[in-house]
Amino acid sequence: MTRTSTAIGVRSASAAAALMLAATMFLPKAEAAALTQKSVMDALPKLEALANKLVERKSGPGESGSDKSVPGLSVAVVFQNKLVYLKGFGLREIGKPERVDADTVFQLASLSKPITSTIVAAMIGKDIASWDAKIADLDPGFRLADPYPTSELTLTDLFAHRSGLPGDAGNELEAIGYDRAEILRRLRFVPPASSFRAGYSYSNFGFTEGGAAAARAVGKPWEEVAEDKLFKPLGMTSTSARYADFVNRSNRAALHILDGGQWRAAVKRRPDAQAPAGGVSSTARDLAKWMLLELDYANGRAAAIPINPEAIARTHAPLIDRGKNPVTGAASFYGLGWNAEFGARGPEWGHAAAFSAGARTLVKLSPGADLGIVVLANAFPTGAPEGLADSFFDLVFDGRVGEDWFSKWNRLFASMFDQGAAAGAVYEKAASPQSQALPFSAYAGRYANDFIGEAVVLEEGGGLVLRLGPSLDASFPLTHFDRDSFFFRPAKDTPNLSGAAFEIGPDQKAGQMTIGDFNGFGMGVLKRTAK
């Protein structure tokens, strides 16, 4: 993979122009199948029956994907400028009696992205000139690794994930406690994953910088801008981009992960650092108002709040190729915070989301049919949101469910979960033959690089402990694997294991350490700074 950052090439420019031309060709009303009110209303009882089945059992989805349960769900459907369905199902938290309803607040994870794109669209022409506003003008202190992309980077580049930033860059810094400002500052040390504007790389913190830079135009924190531009004007009274607001809601859904094949509420997820990309919490009732707003603009109706129609329309334009939908096979592109897909039923706009700590959410809109659904679930891994939404669209358009979408999507999300486990499987049994480690004093010491910052390896409790983060309070016990190689579990909500390998110098002391979980884009090597 090319790791140089250059101007967009002729072939890439041609592809981008073709995609923009395609955006003008996919007119929602002309392309999507017409729906009658009867076809939608007839599908709603069947949707409810499917949702009820999802919460009947409290075990996990199972390896085969045949067990489709989740602890709790909340669902909203809008059609032709009306909210036609709104209901909660199941439990807010396993083992407790409180049930999910239409006003239960869920953490949305990356469903925050299309919401953020709506917020920034509301700023275009008022606070920001256009989606092509340069980040260098909005946030002069932000840097990428190379000067040319830094000078040319726009809101569009960040919201379409085409800046060249590797997808995971910053996620690991958030996990060990760094705040938004420091994570965004450290992105300048990360080598690009592709040439500028030439490749799609889904980046939470690239997207977050887009939201943060837009907020700087009005001199307010992002969280206040989100309230001022969308949540308050639209009456989304239970929606916030602050984790503190989420935990202060009495009617909120707990996160659930699999533990021994059972759902368990075991992990908290505080996503404030990436609030524009993944930190919004909301209800099905509030999100229905947002879906109606999107569909009003798509269909030329008067909307609840004023937004430049061209600015919001651009968020749905297909800007960069994502390949094919892994389950449906539909051609899939990314716009500005939205997935744009094109199939036999015309264009569909949507976004899926997940926290490995226990959240799954989905929005799916058919602009030409004037139809939308949002599904919120309090568990991971599960394909329940996609399974429910795809089954509902089948019912509405075709009168019957054509595929077992639940099993297909469950298998996909289970495989994503399993990939993490497979990457660390090498550490699950001791190396054979196993070489003995040096005395622990050979590895103990302080290490650092510009991206991760300082790391300390300590002798503690008869073993070694790795400490990371701004206050070195993220603590990871190291387990010996073979000679100078150890491993640890980076997060308790996933099965992943990460290596920590030491390079020994002539003085029989480690001169550097490589942390596998940070080394996907070459930033996991830390040099010793003190003996």
Side-chain angles (χ1 to χ4, degrees):
M1 178 180 292
T2 302
R3 291 200 175 270
T4 57
S5 183
T6 60
I8 186 167
V10 174
R11 291 181 62 189
S12 297
S14 298
L19 290 177
M20 290 304 294
L21 177 61
T24 67
M25 296 170 62
F26 287 107
L27 299 177
K29 286 185 177 179
E31 292 292 332
L35 294 182
T36 65
Q37 186 173 12
K38 185 178 186 304
S39 66
V40 175
M41 301 310 290
D42 286 351
L44 293 177
K46 298 172 185 176
L47 170 70
E48 183 163 319
L50 290 171
N52 274 317
K53 286 183 180 179
L54 285 170
V55 299
E56 283 176 359
R57 290 169 289 180
K58 303 304 183 289
S59 61
E63 292 183 5
S64 68
S66 59
D67 184 350
K68 308 177 186 70
S69 72
V70 291
L73 287 167
S74 197
V75 182
V77 177
V78 298
F79 178 61
Q80 291 184 344
N81 201 29
K82 291 184 178 65
L83 173 61
V84 297
Y85 188 82
L86 182 65
K87 191 168 183 179
F89 304 85
L91 301 175
R92 298 185 214 164
E93 182 174 343
I94 289 290
K96 295 185 178 181
E98 291 81 10
R99 299 192 65 80
V100 172
D101 59 30
D103 297 302
T104 299
V105 181
F106 287 74
Q107 290 182 270
L108 301 187
S110 285
L111 181 46
S112 305
K113 290 182 175 71
I115 294 171
T116 290
S117 78
T118 309
I119 295 165
V120 174
M123 302 174 71
I124 299 297
K126 299 176 182 178
D127 309 296
I128 300 169
S130 74
W131 279 108
D132 297 316
K134 289 188 176 182
I135 301 301
D137 296 328
L138 297 171
D139 184 5
F142 182 74
R143 299 281 187 277
L144 293 174
D146 295 328
Y148 178 80
T150 297
S151 66
E152 297 300 311
L153 187 69
T154 66
L155 287 170
T156 289
D157 295 322
L158 292 173
F159 275 65
H161 302 294
R162 64 181 198 187
S163 68
L165 276 171
D168 290 338
N171 292 353
E172 61 289 276
L173 297 182
E174 180 189 17
I176 59 175
Y178 284 102
D179 64 18
R180 183 186 309 163
E182 187 59 23
I183 294 169
L184 295 178
R185 187 189 72 82
R186 293 186 184 205
L187 293 181
R188 67 189 63 194
F189 302 121
V190 180
S194 69
S195 296
F196 181 47
R197 295 178 180 160
Y200 171 79
S201 184
Y202 186 87
S203 169
N204 283 321
F205 280 96
F207 198 98
T208 293
E209 168 58 23
R216 290 175 71 93
V218 294
K220 290 184 177 182
W222 169 255
E223 294 76 8
E224 290 184 27
V225 172
E227 289 177 354
D228 293 347
K229 299 296 180 181
L230 185 66
F231 304 158
K232 287 181 179 178
L234 204 54
M236 299 172 71
T237 57
S238 297
T239 303
S240 174
R242 298 183 184 89
Y243 180 72
D245 291 340
F246 169 73
V247 296
N248 285 332
R249 312 279 188 193
S250 58
N251 184 1
R252 68 178 186 274
L255 304 177
H256 294 81
I257 60 171
L258 281 178
D259 182 15
Q262 303 293 315
W263 293 120
R264 183 166 64 94
V267 184
K268 309 294 183 186
R269 179 69 168 87
R270 184 186 184 101
D272 284 339
Q274 57 165 280
V280 176
S281 59
S282 188
T283 66
R285 187 186 302 277
D286 278 3
L287 292 171
K289 298 175 183 179
W290 168 66
M291 287 194 293
L292 287 168
L293 179 78
E294 291 283 337
L295 290 171
D296 282 345
Y297 276 102
N299 287 282
R301 290 189 294 264
I305 60 174
I307 299 176
N308 182 324
E310 292 182 4
I312 197 167
R314 188 167 170 186
T315 66
H316 309 119
L319 292 176
I320 194 159
D321 187 4
R322 298 177 64 242
K324 290 187 176 181
N325 182 300
V327 169
T328 68
S332 185
F333 304 86
Y334 207 85
L336 301 177
W338 284 93
N339 293 324
E341 297 192 351
F342 304 96
R345 295 168 181 163
E348 292 180 355
W349 306 333
H351 211 291
F355 282 152
S356 60
R360 279 295 342 277
T361 61
L362 177 79
V363 62
K364 184 172 181 176
L365 306 180
S366 174
D370 208 0
L371 176 71
I373 184 171
V374 67
V375 183
L376 311 178
N378 56 351
F380 181 89
T382 176
E386 287 83 358
L388 201 58
D390 287 349
S391 296
F392 176 63
F393 270 46
D394 274 2
L395 289 166
V396 167
F397 285 100
D398 305 328
R400 64 182 181 84
V401 177
E403 303 275 356
D404 183 357
W405 297 115
F406 293 100
S407 292
K408 288 190 171 186
W409 284 107
N410 270 345
R411 283 195 292 269
L412 179 70
F413 279 93
S415 70
M416 293 178 183
F417 194 70
D418 291 343
Q419 284 171 13
V426 65
Y427 300 111
E428 290 181 354
K429 56 183 180 180
S432 179
Q434 185 181 51
S435 299
Q436 186 174 352
L438 295 174
F440 287 161
S441 59
Y443 312 110
R446 294 182 177 271
Y447 302 80
N449 71 18
D450 290 335
F451 183 68
I452 298 173
E454 190 174 39
V456 176
V457 177
L458 299 172
E459 293 186 67
E460 199 171 278
L464 291 175
V465 173
L466 170 65
R467 291 190 179 174
L468 300 166
S471 301
L472 297 175
D473 52 3
S475 184
F476 306 96
L478 297 180
T479 300
H480 182 243
F481 180 65
D482 185 35
R483 180 51 197 260
D484 305 317
S485 178
F486 297 75
F487 66 90
F488 66 97
R489 188 175 300 280
K492 61 183 177 181
D493 57 309
T494 72
N496 300 29
L497 296 173
S498 172
F502 296 86
E503 186 173 306
I504 304 301
D507 60 355
Q508 292 301 291
K509 293 276 189 181
Q512 71 178 39
M513 170 178 57
T514 301
I515 303 176
D517 197 47
F518 289 80
N519 209 38
F521 41 90
M523 298 306 296
V525 179
L526 298 90
K527 302 289 186 181
R528 183 187 283 273
T529 61
K531 298 296 183 183

